Amino acid sequence: MFEECSRTQLRVKDDEMILPRGITGFWSVNTAPLPLLEEKAFCQMCYSIALENGGTVTEVDTDTAIRNFYSAKLSRYDQSVFLLQNIHYPYAAFAQRDTSGGFIWISQPEWLQLPEGSVRFLSPSELTRDWHDLRGELSPEELDQIHYWNPQTVGEIVFNTWD
């Protein structure tokens, strides 16, 4: 059974997430682009989370020229985590940097408590899942980009660095 999709939740069919149209950041020249989630709201969320957890925001990157997400690094004592949020849908994730500068998905750190809100934090198991069965709403333009960039997981689609 489908639940109604708002921009605050993933589409769900029988407890399975479905990738919504526009999640990649690509669309047809014949359709209007999805609105961007406000950069300011992302920054406010990050600073609020850091403050509530006794930490600081040590890095913010909202340049989306070649990617479809905002990122921020939250730190507390000697611990840090990256928080990523898709720029078209309020889906976020926690990550660490890998040696090549990419991201490795991690669970919510124990030291980090999240406020109730409209952002949905995806788990590592959701992000590392194969995307093929979840593509029901992706546009032909998005599927062309996916074919070209060849992502293997949901996380590589929801948080991509395709140009």
Side-chain angles (χ1 to χ4, degrees):
M1 171 137 292
F2 276 98
E3 292 180 13
E4 278 304 305
C5 178
S6 72
R7 291 200 45 213
T8 61
Q9 66 184 20
L10 282 172
R11 289 270 322 225
V12 176
K13 180 183 180 186
D14 300 326
D15 295 325
E16 294 287 328
M17 63 186 267
I18 296 178
L19 294 168
R21 181 176 297 267
I23 192 75
T24 64
F26 289 91
W27 54 85
S28 165
V29 296
N30 299 323
T31 58
L34 287 174
L36 295 176
L37 295 176
E38 290 185 25
E39 179 181 323
K40 182 178 179 181
F42 171 74
C43 292
Q44 287 174 333
M45 176 184 69
C46 292
Y47 281 98
S48 175
I49 290 171
L51 181 65
E52 291 293 321
N53 288 279
T56 59
V57 175
T58 55
E59 188 178 313
V60 175
D61 188 349
T62 57
D63 179 6
T64 58
I66 61 166
R67 62 184 192 179
N68 72 339
F69 62 91
Y70 301 130
S71 72
K73 185 176 183 181
L74 283 58
S75 300
R76 186 180 120 182
Y77 306 118
D78 62 344
Q79 301 171 323
S80 64
V81 63
F82 282 91
L83 193 157
L84 281 53
Q85 182 179 317
N86 184 278
I87 62 173
H88 297 291
Y89 287 89
Y91 307 143
F94 295 106
Q96 293 293 343
R97 285 267 186 211
D98 66 16
T99 55
S100 67
F103 291 104
I104 299 169
W105 309 120
I106 63 168
S107 297
Q108 176 182 334
E110 289 182 21
W111 61 269
L112 192 65
Q113 299 305 309
L114 299 173
E116 292 293 320
S118 59
V119 175
R120 171 123 186 309
F121 287 85
L122 303 174
S123 69
S125 63
E126 290 173 305
L127 293 161
T128 56
R129 188 173 165 185
D130 183 274
W131 64 271
H132 291 87
D133 293 340
L134 311 174
R135 64 182 172 183
E137 295 186 359
L138 296 173
S139 71
E141 295 77 21
E142 290 177 291
L143 292 171
D144 287 347
Q145 290 295 319
I146 288 169
H147 179 13
Y148 179 79
W149 293 101
N150 197 29
Q152 302 302 306
T153 66
V154 167
E156 291 175 278
I157 291 172
V158 176
F159 303 101
N160 71 62
T161 55
W162 311 336
D163 55 2

